[in-house]
Amino acid sequence: DAGVTQSPTHLIKTRGQQVTLRCSPKSGHDTVSWYQQALGQGPQFIFQYYEEEERQRGNFPDRFSGHQFPNYSSELNVNALLLGDSALYLCASTQGVRGETQYFGPGTRLLVL
Amino acid sequence: AQSVSQHNHHVILSEAASLELGCNYSYGGTVNLFWYVQYPGQHLQLLLKYFSGDPLVKGIKGFEAEFIKSKFSFNLRKPSVQWSDTAEYFCAVRSNDYKLSFGAGTTVTVRA
């Protein structure tokens, strides 16, 4: 039973660039949520995708966008990178928007220079 | 929007000591409550969760948590810790919008 997978594991970008992070949900799950975890902080909810649409969004600017594919995998895109975007980006999946438990992937660590 | 407060940033204790981590949340409606753990080099894993029923919830690895509605608290406990319990612990709350809000986390260091 494959868990949540994310790629890449690490990424270095410079200010102003754009980045795309990828996530494959746990087998049997159809809902994907993205979180940003800054150093020393808890994860902060970015948005959630279900049926290829953004269903919920946290307090993040429009520079953060996403996509969900028919196979339930998802991408997180961040445009015009800022130094403050440096963080661990976590993907979590559930069965349905109301799924009881979110299963997390290992994360992608993004460093913006 | 709900917020989650974890009382301790870093806790250091010896093996066999008892552990209690505090968690308070601010939301007046129905909530679902979670404790997640992140062991060094590993991803976030669910320790336990509370949705309804008995307010004393038992999780994996000997952990338990008690939901006290009147105090908006969901404290995590373990009677006797092991070196392998060294990790970062996160309290999380989900309200009726199904968004998960996390506390800042507590780093627990267990000395052998």
Side-chain angles (χ1 to χ4, degrees):
Chain A
D1 181 17
V4 179
T5 59
Q6 293 185 243
S7 63
T9 55
H10 295 81
L11 206 49
I12 300 174
K13 293 286 188 178
T14 56
R15 280 180 299 175
Q17 285 189 311
Q18 179 264 344
V19 68
T20 297
L21 310 181
R22 296 177 177 81
C23 170
S24 291
K26 180 178 168 65
S27 178
H29 287 184
D30 57 8
T31 303
V32 172
S33 299
W34 286 93
Y35 294 81
Q36 180 195 67
Q37 186 177 11
L39 203 60
Q41 300 296 319
Q44 299 292 314
F45 175 77
I46 302 175
F47 44 53
Q48 181 187 69
Y49 275 84
Y50 172 69
E51 293 186 334
E52 303 180 46
E53 290 188 10
E54 184 182 295
R55 299 292 178 168
Q56 294 274 4
R57 189 177 183 91
N59 189 25
F60 279 81
D62 292 345
R63 297 187 298 110
F64 289 77
S65 64
H67 188 77
Q68 186 179 34
F69 299 94
N71 67 352
Y72 309 123
S73 67
S74 177
E75 290 182 348
L76 165 66
N77 301 292
V78 187
N79 295 322
L81 284 167
L82 304 174
L83 297 180
D85 295 331
S86 295
L88 180 67
Y89 288 85
L90 297 169
C91 171
S93 71
T94 57
Q95 174 57 49
V97 173
R98 301 181 181 187
E100 282 195 358
T101 302
Q102 295 199 13
Y103 291 83
F104 284 82
T108 294
R109 188 162 296 282
L110 172 65
L111 177 61
V112 182
L113 301 176
Chain B
Q2 65 268 28
S3 66
V4 183
S5 174
Q6 292 186 237
H7 306 161
N8 309 96
H9 181 64
H10 194 180
V11 172
I12 302 172
L13 59 168
S14 300
E15 276 192 312
S18 64
L19 172 69
E20 180 160 1
L21 303 181
C23 173
N24 285 91
Y25 63 93
S26 63
Y27 184 73
T30 302
V31 293
N32 304 138
L33 300 160
F34 305 81
W35 276 97
Y36 280 86
V37 61
Q38 191 166 29
Y39 297 104
Q42 297 187 26
H43 58 272
L44 275 170
Q45 301 172 38
L46 182 69
L47 262 183
L48 47 78
K49 61 186 177 184
Y50 173 79
F51 275 65
S52 63
D54 188 344
L56 185 61
V57 180
K58 294 193 183 299
I60 61 171
K61 304 187 180 186
F63 285 90
E64 64 179 29
E66 184 176 13
F67 170 51
I68 302 179
K69 188 174 182 179
S70 61
K71 295 185 177 180
F72 298 91
S73 70
F74 190 55
N75 293 352
L76 181 71
R77 298 193 291 255
K78 185 170 184 178
S80 176
V81 295
Q82 301 173 313
W83 178 80
S84 58
D85 292 322
T86 294
E88 191 155 17
Y89 293 81
F90 294 94
C91 179
V93 175
R94 189 177 80 164
S95 59
N96 57 10
D97 61 2
Y98 302 104
K99 295 179 187 177
L100 200 57
S101 297
F102 284 84
T106 297
T107 301
V108 173
T109 301
V110 180
R111 292 179 170 162

